[in-house]
Amino acid sequence: GAVVSQHPSRVICKSGTSVKIECRSLDFQATTMFWYRQFPKQSLMLMATSNEGSKATYEQGVEKDKFLINHASLTLSTLTVTSAHPEDSSFYICSAPTGMYNSPLHFGNGTRLTVT
Amino acid sequence: AQSVAQPEDQVNVAEGNPLTVKCTYSVSGNPYLFWYVQYPNRGLQFLLKYITGDNLVKGSYGFEAEFNKSQTSFHLKKPSALVSDSALYFCAVRDHNTDKLIFGTGTRLQVFP
């Protein structure tokens, strides 16, 4: 079945540094990918939709300059958390539709970001 | 606006007993409904979906869900729970125009041996 690979699975960084998270569709092409953020014991919050070859679409309240999204190819989207703060610590998950009609979204295994 | 509600934060059930995780939806038009499961520190795994057709949908790992239009519900069920079913379960509805998935708040299922 369709596989989405997310890397790294865990990252610890210092305040003020930037962290890049990669999301790859391994066996299908994804013109669109979704980035979610999940706080402990809470649901998934959609942050943005990345679009191959064009700008990402951000949800209301998500800082574009803080969370940089790039969708460089049909199989790769990246989320960069810039100038990270401890409050950015969270679980970030990407997902992608396979493009087949009414197919479910396929999710990466998530990235646990801890900012110290 | 499309939305789903999961009224229970946690469901506890003994192994071998049937389980139900509740979900109700609010949509304009035909609902595209999904159930996902999340294990600790992992992404979400697809269990099943309802798009159209039979109201009883069968999915992975012995799970099934019943679409009930009159009650606007899509409850997840399993006839006999396993300890390994313990996880966080999310109901979701898809926005027809954007492909965005809108998630419920999640229900933690705890199956006791």
Side-chain angles (χ1 to χ4, degrees), chain A residues 10 34 36 38 41-44 46 49 59 91 93 97 101-110 112, chain B residues 32 34 36 38 41-46 49 51 88 90 94 98-106 108:
Chain A
R10 291 177 178 272
F34 301 100
Y36 291 86
Q38 186 178 29
K41 298 183 179 180
Q42 293 191 27
S43 188
L44 284 77
L46 180 64
T49 303
E59 297 298 306
F91 193 58
I93 311 175
Y101 182 68
N102 285 327
S103 66
L105 286 184
H106 294 273
F107 286 80
N109 278 332
R112 171 74 59 193
Chain B
Y32 293 171
F34 300 80
Y36 284 83
Q38 184 182 31
N41 292 311
R42 301 294 297 274
L44 275 67
Q45 295 179 32
F46 168 74
K49 66 179 180 181
I51 303 297
L88 189 56
F90 289 100
R94 174 180 274 175
T98 65
D99 261 353
K100 293 179 184 178
L101 266 187
I102 299 159
F103 287 91
T105 50
R108 186 164 299 281

Side-chain angles (χ1 to χ4, degrees), chain A residues 52-85:
Chain A
E52 189 270 336
S54 64
K55 292 182 179 180
T57 306
Y58 289 82
E59 297 298 306
Q60 192 173 3
V62 177
E63 298 176 61
K64 301 178 182 181
D65 296 332
K66 175 75 171 173
F67 299 100
L68 299 180
I69 290 174
N70 182 270
H71 198 140
S73 74
L74 288 172
T75 58
L76 174 63
S77 175
T78 60
L79 167 67
T80 301
V81 183
T82 62
S83 187
H85 289 170

